[in-house]
Each structure stands twice: as C-alpha cells, then as structure tokens.
Amino acid sequence: MKLTVLNEREKEHVAQYAYKAGLETPLDRALTPFWNECVKLLPLWLAPNTVTLSGLALVLASTANLALRTRSLKELAPWWCYYLAAGCLLAYQTLDAIDGKQARRTGSSSPLGQLFDHGCDAICTGCIVVLTMCGCFCGASWLPLATMHTLCLQFFTSQWEEYHTGILNISNGWLGVTEGQFILFTLLCQAPLTGPEFWRGPISDHLGLESAASLLQVTPTTIFVASLLLLTALGAAENIYKVLQLPPGGTQSADERGDKTLGFDSAILQLAGPAGIALLSSVSLLSKEAAQLLEHDSPLTFVCTVCLAYAMVTTVMIVSHMAKTPLPTGNLLWSPGFPLLQLSTRPLREAMGLGLVFSFAEEIGIVYGALMLMHAAYITILIGELCDHLKIRCFTIPYRKDGSRRSKKGK
C-alpha cells in the first residue's frame, strides 16, 4: 500500500493557502534594507528552497561540529568552533529572511516554499537549544532540560496559534526570533573568551566578595538559563491564552477554516502532542543510567531526540494549518509517540529486569535513528505529493536557453 500524507482535498487547500505574517520588531525593520541588498546577490536560477536548505545545512553542520567537541555540553571547545557556529547562525538568519524575497524576485512563490521554510525552522529550533547549552556551558541538568522543553513548546504554540487565528506571530512587536538569534550570536562569541570558569562560578567570586549573601552564590549560567526559561514559558503561555480566549469557531472565515477542528476543547486536545513528548522524555530520565549519561557521558543524543520529536509534531501542525485539516491528524505512522513510549518504559524494565538488551544511551540512539527515518519519510512523501499537485519542482527553477522562465516553479 502506498504511503500518503495528504488527500486530494487537503492538497487543494494547500494550493489555496495564503500566508499572513504577524508583528515585526524594530530590528526586523532595521535589517530589511540589508536583506533586500543581500537577495540581489543571488542568481536568478537559484531556487528559494535551495536557499532555505543551505541555511539549515550550515547551522546543522556547525552545531554538530561544536557539540561533538564539548562532550557533556559544558566543556570548552576549540575557540574557532564557537565563531564558526555564530557565523553560520547569522548566515542562516539572513538566508531565512531572503528566501521569500528570492521567491518573489524570481516569480516562483508557492505554498510549498512556506511549508519548507517553517519545516526547516522547526528543525533549527533543536540546533538553537544545543548552541545555547554550549554557549553558557550549562550541560543538560534539570534547568537546561526544562528550558529545552519551553523553547520547543513556544515554537509549537506559535504554529498552533496560527492554526486557530490564521496569523503567525513570532514576536510581540518588540522582541522576537531575530532578537533571540542575535542574543545567541553574542553568547557564542563570548564563550571562548570567558570560558566555563566564569559561567559556572558563583557571582560572589566574580565580585571579589569572600563572604556574600546566598543570593550571590548563584552562577551566571543559572541566571541566564532561568531567564530564558521564564521568557520562553511566558511566550508559550501568551500563545495559549490568545487561542483559549477565542470565540467558539474562531475568527477565521469559512474558507480559511476549511475542515479544521477549532474551539476550546479541540485546542486543549491539540496540546497533547508536545505534552506527551515532555512527559515521556522526562519519565525516561528516571532510568538508573540517566545521571551518568547527562553528567558524564554525552547528553547530545538525548537532547537531539527530544528536539526532533518536537519538530515532528510541529511540522504536522504546520501541515494541518495549511491543509485545513482536523487535529489530531495524520497517519499514526508519523507520530513520535511510539518510539518515545518505548524509551519511557526503560525505568520500569530496569526495575523488573526485563528487555535490557541495550544500554540507556544505545536505546536513545535507536529511538533517535527511528525518529530521523520517520521524519525523513514524512517530509519526502509530503514534498513529492505537493510538487506533483502544484506541478512544480522543489529545488530548481526551469529556464529556457534565453534565460526566461518556462513556468512558475519552486518556492
């Protein structure tokens, strides 16, 4: 039986999709002239989706290069790794900002481009989590892991809010994604200069106070991570509040709603995906081997596994909004819940002495591999279906020999 993601009605809904952007920040407006000049440097034959994918590849490669050199995500890596990651982060930000401009410049805009853009952003969220851990040398203790959950949850709730309102808000008008990326850029640039001694040492030591109040015994790492936890939690809470206070049926027109399931009860049910990821991944840490993995071995695979699971449910949310489908939606084959459920049974199996063929670290690696294969299959099938339906190509813009376009292709 052929695996599918969307039916014909849902594909047509995607074809009719119109993106509605939310609030811009002053920094977004200040950088717009720079982005307008940057897009002029791109050749007209370069497909917008290729621009998007190039930015994601840079971030993935530089993040892996840095994280694999820090083991527990709290040691000091070679100085150039931090600057490479910071440079690739800015490159990603720029390419992410100009891919849509390239689409309009080449006359190749399509709903697939918007879907591809947001899908790459969902994956990049995991890179931001890992880079933050490396930049402030916090490792993977309970506070950084809680922040990982709230950061991924905030990105999910932004897409969830768009599902219910039709508008994607990634800022409050003053602080948004662009500002967050510059904060992370600064964090990475200072990391090799200050080192873990500064970040994990008590503030009293930095102030030269021998006998200081207990408040000054807290470390810069704890202050930074706790502040990030608070900001992301408040951002997610704001998104949730906006959706839950909507009138029954929402505020979208009948055409915009399509077959969506809206309303208070449905909205609460739709949060089950990210809530399940948080619960199952947290339960798995009750394993006897968890402390050894997080504190002494590399926690990178665990962090990447959780972030990828969030990226999967977020991508389904994005697709459901554009296809105007009900939620929960999609074939359960694409759900990250089953592999995570297996991992969450690890503490119970340890207590009973059952099914311990692999170590905890090895089981995490197996789950991560399974999620990667599932997400790759989902994305590949989805892109193929939409390219066939929209009669476009994902990574090329066909041209005649005289340089003119044959038809609208690409993003």
Side-chain angles (χ1 to χ4, degrees):
M1 183 178 68
K2 183 179 179 181
L3 294 177
T4 61
V5 173
L6 301 175
N7 58 39
E8 292 303 317
R9 177 179 173 83
E10 291 165 349
K11 293 175 189 175
E12 191 56 34
H13 283 160
V14 173
Q16 298 168 0
Y17 171 75
Y19 172 64
K20 294 183 181 179
L23 298 172
E24 284 188 331
T25 66
L27 184 56
D28 289 327
R29 291 189 287 271
L31 287 173
T32 296
F34 168 72
W35 292 331
N36 288 338
E37 291 302 315
C38 285
V39 74
K40 296 177 183 178
L41 301 176
L42 301 180
L44 291 174
W45 51 261
L46 185 62
N49 288 335
T50 304
V51 175
T52 308
L53 185 62
S54 299
L56 177 62
L58 288 173
V59 172
L60 287 173
S62 60
T63 301
N65 174 67
L66 174 58
L68 291 174
R69 296 172 185 271
T70 59
R71 192 169 175 76
S72 63
L73 305 182
K74 55 186 179 183
E75 290 89 358
L76 182 64
W79 64 269
W80 60 269
C81 296
Y82 296 94
Y83 294 119
L84 176 64
C88 288
L89 179 65
L90 283 191
Y92 170 79
Q93 179 195 71
T94 302
L95 294 174
D96 189 44
I98 68 176
D99 53 4
K101 299 179 186 295
Q102 175 73 351
R104 292 184 289 274
R105 178 172 173 250
T106 58
S108 57
S109 297
S110 82
L112 175 62
Q114 195 65 41
L115 176 60
F116 195 85
D117 190 326
H118 291 176
C120 287
D121 289 340
I123 296 174
C124 188
T125 302
C127 295
I128 290 174
V129 169
V130 174
L131 291 175
T132 301
M133 290 180 171
C134 294
C136 64
F137 307 98
C138 65
S141 60
W142 72 268
L143 185 58
L145 289 178
T147 305
M148 169 189 70
H149 287 295
T150 57
L151 198 155
C152 292
L153 177 63
Q154 183 180 16
F155 187 77
F156 174 88
T157 55
S158 295
Q159 311 300 326
W160 175 69
E161 181 187 350
E162 184 186 20
Y163 179 87
H164 286 268
T165 65
I167 300 174
L168 178 62
N169 280 308
I170 54 175
S171 78
N172 58 12
W174 292 98
L175 184 65
V177 171
T178 305
E179 287 74 13
Q181 290 170 337
F182 272 104
I183 291 173
L184 179 55
F185 171 82
T186 304
L187 182 70
L188 291 169
C189 287
Q190 63 75 41
L193 302 177
T194 57
E197 296 79 10
F198 167 79
W199 281 93
R200 298 208 300 271
I203 292 180
S204 57
D205 291 353
H206 302 315
L207 297 177
L209 302 175
E210 295 182 359
S211 58
S214 58
L215 181 63
L216 295 180
Q217 297 303 313
V218 70
T219 66
T221 289
T222 301
I223 294 175
F224 179 82
V225 176
S227 300
L228 183 58
L229 172 64
L230 179 62
L231 285 174
T232 52
L234 288 175
E238 181 182 9
N239 294 334
I240 293 172
Y241 172 77
K242 287 180 180 177
V243 171
L244 297 185
Q245 59 84 39
L246 289 172
T251 57
Q252 302 177 72
S253 67
D255 288 339
E256 291 174 324
R257 287 196 304 269
D259 301 322
K260 292 181 180 179
T261 50
L262 306 177
F264 184 91
D265 294 342
S266 297
I268 293 295
L269 182 60
Q270 291 155 9
L271 294 176
I277 292 172
L279 177 62
L280 294 176
S281 60
S282 298
V283 168
S284 72
L285 293 180
L286 296 175
S287 167
K288 298 175 182 178
E289 301 177 37
Q292 174 69 24
L293 177 76
L294 298 181
E295 292 297 327
H296 303 290
D297 299 331
S298 175
L300 179 62
T301 307
F302 178 79
V303 172
C304 290
T305 298
V306 177
C307 290
L308 179 56
Y310 277 111
M312 292 173 70
V313 296
T314 302
T315 302
V316 171
M317 174 61 68
I318 295 168
V319 173
S320 298
H321 165 61
M322 297 181 65
K324 304 174 185 177
T325 62
L327 269 170
T329 187
N331 192 321
L332 290 177
L333 178 65
W334 312 120
S335 171
F338 293 116
L340 287 179
L341 181 61
Q342 167 67 17
L343 190 63
S344 70
T345 64
R346 175 78 186 194
L348 179 61
R349 287 184 283 118
E350 286 179 348
M352 300 178 64
L354 299 174
L356 300 179
V357 179
F358 303 100
S359 68
F360 184 50
E362 290 171 339
E363 281 198 18
I364 294 174
I366 293 171
V367 170
Y368 182 53
L371 293 181
M372 287 186 65
L373 290 175
M374 290 166 60
H375 196 49
Y378 178 84
I379 294 300
T380 301
I381 294 172
L382 177 62
I383 290 176
E385 288 178 351
L386 291 179
C387 284
D388 290 342
H389 185 78
L390 299 172
K391 296 180 173 54
I392 61 175
R393 300 178 188 175
C394 188
F395 298 112
T396 59
I397 306 177
Y399 278 83
R400 296 191 181 95
K401 291 183 179 180
D402 62 5
S404 61
R405 286 179 44 78
R406 291 193 182 104
S407 60
K408 287 192 175 183
K409 310 281 183 183
K411 183 164 182 169

